[in-house]
Amino acid sequence: MKYISKIISIFFLSFSIFLFCYVFYRAQIVFGGTRFYYFLQYYVIAVLSIIFSLISFFIPKNLKINITIVGISILFAFYLIEGFLLIKTRYARIAIYKNIVDKDFDQRTKWQVYQDLKKEDPNVVVALNPSQSLQHNTLDYMPLSGLANRKTIHCNENGYFSIYQSDRYGFNNPDEEWDKDEIDFLLIGDSHLHGDCVNEPDTISGNLRKLNNNKNGILNLGQGGNGPLTEYATLKEYLPVVKQVKRVLWLYTESNDTYDLHRELKNKILVSYLNDKNFSQNIILRKQETEKLLLQTFEQAKSGQDIFAAPWRFIKLVQLRSIIFANPLPTHATKEFKNILKLSNEFTKKNYSKLY
């Protein structure tokens, strides 16, 4: 009994240390310290777990075994709930989609779709967003779009994968929009504007084109994961390229834009846009460099695809944690956000346009 009791304490201490190291790896190595608020709760859990594991060496043997049994029972219940949530969310969506459109829900992963489409088009890619470069604070250049002139696989939330042909700069637009003499709306925003996960005619910009009868141009510069500072940088780089823009529409997403701005303020390139009105990466003139860097990111994403991703998500209790832990959104970037809007308004006026 004494031997078993000691093994239990050693096991929980080892697991707690592993948990702390894993959280540190994800927070500091993978995300480069840009998601502190998200990982803070897991740091607290890991530290409390280590403390409790150390205390367990001094707990009476019978009590320790009883606590262990209760803990294992709770963990087992968690996985039962996780399994139920997975089945409910996944198969309910499949059934609903089949019932509404009488088609089978596409259950392939993004990378399986990529492998299938690559047989027809070797240049096909998956969508890449500027936010994927945020944690790489050692780079001296940061693209603000995806790969240009490529069939781009986006995402699947509605039973099908949205796929679009990117324009000359890597955005989700028909390429000819850039050649129009007058642009009615130039749109800045994140995934809602980018078009997650609908095909181009059903995006916000696509619907504006229908309402506008495709007369004057509508340019969509939205990218998934963008926050206010990336959006300001995008405005600075691409607005001067267009001949005449009547209106700039800035789409603010209340649920996560402040959080995204908190991450962006840790990136030295983006902060340069905020600190220096004259700063520019001259992205338009660096198309080859942009493509090279994005292709490197794409190859890394390909090599990092995990065939065990679905089981690993189950092991990590992703569904259950999304319900229990609401991501805390930092609000202390209000001053910076106001400054970004002020600078954006000044820059838009300077280019003879109006910001909404």
Side-chain angles (χ1 to χ4, degrees), residues 21-170:
C21 292
Y22 179 72
V23 173
F24 179 84
Y25 166 75
R26 294 285 296 174
Q28 301 302 130
I29 307 301
V30 176
F31 290 98
T34 61
R35 300 185 65 183
F36 173 77
Y37 279 83
Y38 174 79
F39 285 102
L40 178 61
Q41 56 204 357
Y42 298 108
Y43 272 122
V44 171
I45 291 172
V47 171
L48 290 176
S49 181
I50 291 173
I51 293 172
F52 181 78
S53 300
L54 293 172
I55 293 174
S56 72
F57 282 96
F58 307 99
I59 294 176
K61 294 185 289 290
N62 290 334
L63 177 59
K64 186 190 301 184
I65 291 173
N66 290 336
I67 292 174
T68 302
I69 292 172
V70 171
I72 292 173
S73 301
I74 293 173
L75 187 63
F76 181 72
F78 281 169
Y79 279 107
L80 282 179
I81 296 171
E82 178 74 9
F84 170 75
L85 290 173
L86 281 171
I87 292 171
K88 180 183 177 182
T89 55
R90 182 175 181 82
Y91 291 102
R93 290 168 69 194
I94 292 172
I96 291 170
Y97 184 73
K98 179 70 174 178
N99 184 54
I100 293 176
V101 300
D102 196 28
K103 293 181 180 179
D104 292 329
F105 195 103
D106 193 338
Q107 299 187 53
R108 293 175 298 173
T109 66
K110 184 183 294 187
W111 290 104
Q112 287 172 332
V113 175
Y114 166 74
Q115 291 297 337
D116 290 340
L117 293 182
K118 189 180 178 183
K119 298 171 185 175
E120 305 170 5
D121 183 356
N123 291 319
V124 66
V125 293
V126 301
L128 300 172
N129 301 320
S131 60
Q132 292 173 260
S133 301
L134 276 180
Q135 62 264 29
H136 303 303
N137 213 14
T138 57
L139 297 176
D140 58 0
Y141 179 62
M142 181 176 171
L144 297 172
S145 65
L147 281 160
N149 301 313
R150 304 285 187 118
K151 180 182 285 188
T152 305
I153 304 164
H154 206 173
C155 50
N156 177 5
E157 290 179 350
N158 304 308
Y160 63 93
F161 275 90
S162 57
I163 298 173
Y164 64 88
Q165 181 72 24
S166 61
D167 63 27
R168 65 190 68 176
Y169 296 120

